[in-house]
Amino acid sequence: MALRTGGRVLSVEAADAGRSFHAARLRRRGGEFEILAHALLPLLALAEARGDGDMTLAFRDLQGVEPTGWTPYRLLSADELGTPIDRADLGELSAGELEQIRYWGPGTVGEVLFNFWD
């Protein structure tokens, strides 16, 4: 994937009990960014590179980063990830997942999918 984005992998972090996604930090012309892969679903997101211990994700779109050949993964756009939670269809979530959403109070779809509270 790094070659497809024109970048170089700087680090990789696996999902764990406190995070719902794997993260790879890449550098390419124009700066650093992260590719996030949901731990259970075939979903990807791009985000600004985080500092050590930073749990804030700033989702973004990057010109030249195209999901061609990333099957079965789907790259979500910054607009999709920024959809307010009150406009999202949560009908297929379990009672436990809905309880977590009520407890943690995420504001967007991206904060539900890529979170630090799983």
Side-chain angles (χ1 to χ4, degrees):
M1 194 176 298
L3 294 176
R4 289 185 186 140
T5 65
R8 186 175 72 110
V9 176
L10 300 177
S11 64
V12 175
E13 299 173 4
D16 57 27
R19 190 175 62 216
S20 68
F21 60 93
H22 309 287
R25 187 179 189 127
L26 282 75
R27 176 180 293 138
R28 70 174 198 159
R29 221 171 333 144
E32 294 181 9
F33 67 99
E34 291 185 76
I35 296 178
L36 311 177
H38 194 277
L40 301 174
L41 303 170
L43 300 173
L44 299 172
L46 301 175
E48 298 287 335
R50 295 172 290 130
D52 289 340
D54 187 359
M55 295 192 312
T56 304
L57 296 172
F59 299 109
R60 64 185 284 190
D61 297 317
L62 285 172
Q63 188 173 8
V65 178
E66 303 297 331
T68 305
W70 292 8
T71 305
Y73 292 93
R74 179 170 172 258
L75 179 62
L76 299 170
S77 71
D79 283 344
E80 289 175 296
L81 293 162
T83 300
I85 195 70
D86 61 355
R87 291 197 337 223
D89 178 6
L90 305 178
E92 294 196 27
L93 297 181
S94 70
E97 290 167 322
L98 292 171
E99 179 60 32
Q100 289 291 304
I101 289 170
R102 280 190 292 277
Y103 180 81
W104 292 104
T108 66
V109 168
E111 292 173 352
V112 170
L113 292 171
F114 300 94
N115 64 66
F116 295 88
W117 38 268
D118 262 350

